[in-house]
Amino acid sequence: MIVPEQLYLAVRLISFGAVLALMMALEYAVPRRSRLLARWHRWPGNVALVVIDSVAARLIIPLAVIGVAASAQAQGWGLLNQVALPDWVEIVIAVMLLDLAIYGQHVAFHALPSLWRLHRMHHSDPDLDVTTALRFHPVEILLSLLLKLLVVAALGASPLAVLIFEVLLNATAMFNHSNIALPRTIDALLRRVLVTPDMHRVHHSIDARETNSNFGFNLPWWDWLFGTYRAQPVAGHQGMTTGLADFRGDRDQRIDQLLLQPLRRDSGKGANHG
């Protein structure tokens, strides 16, 4: 199925706005943890980043992922175009393998010091809420987009599969970064198939052993399979500290400081690459 780029962008924008608004409302209604900083100290920088990231991606890499998927489908490129599968089977396989690629990328951004300097800006948020899901350095976004283009071409993922994956990834990332309190039984059931806020919060712990766990953004199965799953933080969700030892002040949340952070040295306490 061909997905026009305008429809692709419209669906992504509408779903993004709807999930963002829902998570913000739930954070207000049923917060999991008290905030360390006021929203107005953090939200302007985090929201500015998603705008900058989106503009940079469109200007520097104008070839949309959906365009690569359409070309692969038309030319018969990629693994999934070499076999005859029902559409729904192809979509399930493509979504799962794309999610695995994002998991692997996330592990690499922690393991390699040069990539960690880019990625640590995401982890330097002293609080964790839905806007943390928007807090990525533009260079990391561009590298991630390049990887996604290569994986989509290699897989031969269909445009519809790519659209479904992108909508799911954005929605689940905002969900699992959100500061919402889920009943324990609901959390236990959900994390069998989905990364929950309590599961992902462990990954944002100041403790490097916990930071280097729970890398999944969407599906929890890769952490189980590769031994990076950690059920709970040692200090508990109310007692744990999120963020990094460095870059915790109000000034560090300004957009200029966020963009320059990869060039700044830390004290060594925030070195979470393994």
Side-chain angles (χ1 to χ4, degrees):
M1 175 182 176
I2 301 299
V3 179
E5 186 174 348
Q6 292 81 1
L7 176 60
Y8 168 78
L9 294 174
V11 170
R12 287 201 60 187
L13 183 60
I14 292 169
S15 62
F16 170 82
V19 175
L20 180 64
L22 176 61
M23 292 302 107
M24 285 181 171
L26 289 174
E27 286 180 339
Y28 180 79
V30 283
R32 181 68 161 101
R33 286 161 47 95
S34 299
R35 296 180 181 275
L36 297 175
L37 297 179
R39 290 181 178 89
W40 66 271
H41 282 302
R42 299 172 43 257
W43 280 16
N46 290 356
V47 173
L49 278 168
V50 75
V51 175
I52 294 170
D53 291 346
S54 300
V55 171
R58 294 294 291 173
L59 290 178
I60 298 175
I61 308 179
L63 186 63
V65 178
I66 204 76
V68 172
S71 296
Q73 190 174 62
Q75 302 297 325
W77 300 336
L79 179 65
L80 294 174
N81 285 315
Q82 309 310 310
V83 291
L85 295 171
D87 289 346
W88 72 269
V89 174
E90 180 270 332
I91 289 171
V92 170
I93 293 174
V95 168
M96 289 185 63
L97 291 180
L98 284 166
D99 196 65
L100 175 59
I102 296 299
Y103 168 88
Q105 171 195 289
H106 196 179
V107 172
F109 268 89
H110 278 253
L112 301 176
S114 57
L115 295 179
W116 168 249
R117 289 183 75 89
L118 291 170
H119 184 61
R120 73 180 182 190
M121 189 194 72
H122 176 66
H123 280 267
S124 67
D125 201 338
D127 282 311
L128 193 67
D129 65 21
V130 64
T131 69
T132 311
L134 317 178
R135 182 184 172 115
F136 288 94
H137 198 277
V139 177
E140 179 176 356
I141 290 296
L142 293 175
L143 291 175
S144 179
L145 181 55
L146 282 172
L147 172 67
K148 204 178 296 179
L149 292 172
L150 292 173
V151 173
V152 166
L155 284 178
S158 67
L160 181 58
V162 171
L163 174 60
I164 290 171
F165 172 72
E166 293 282 18
V167 169
L168 283 175
L169 184 65
N170 285 346
T172 54
M174 286 189 283
F175 168 66
N176 60 50
H177 283 87
S178 63
N179 182 35
I180 62 176
L182 291 177
R184 187 174 300 179
T185 53
I186 299 298
D187 177 86
L189 288 172
L190 274 181
R191 70 167 67 192
R192 295 180 181 178
V193 295
L194 191 68
V195 176
T196 65
D198 274 12
M199 179 178 168
H200 192 69
R201 189 177 299 106
V202 178
H203 180 71
H204 281 263
S205 169
I206 201 169
D207 184 334
R209 295 167 299 178
E210 296 178 345
T211 310
N212 290 312
S213 68
N214 296 7
F215 291 98
F217 271 100
N218 184 4
L219 300 173
W221 308 328
W222 314 123
D223 284 301
W224 300 347
L225 181 62
F226 295 107
T228 54
Y229 176 70
R230 186 181 290 264
Q232 302 294 337
V234 171
H237 286 282
Q238 297 302 326
M240 71 180 292
T241 300
T242 55
L244 300 176
D246 302 293
F247 318 120
R248 299 188 66 82
D250 290 354
R251 181 174 180 271
D252 295 314
Q253 313 312 314
R254 288 179 1 200
I255 186 61
D256 60 326
Q257 297 302 309
L258 292 172
L259 292 172
L260 292 172
Q261 196 195 105
L263 303 177
R264 297 172 61 190
R265 284 189 166 187
D266 59 31
S267 64
K269 296 177 182 178
N272 286 299
H273 51 82

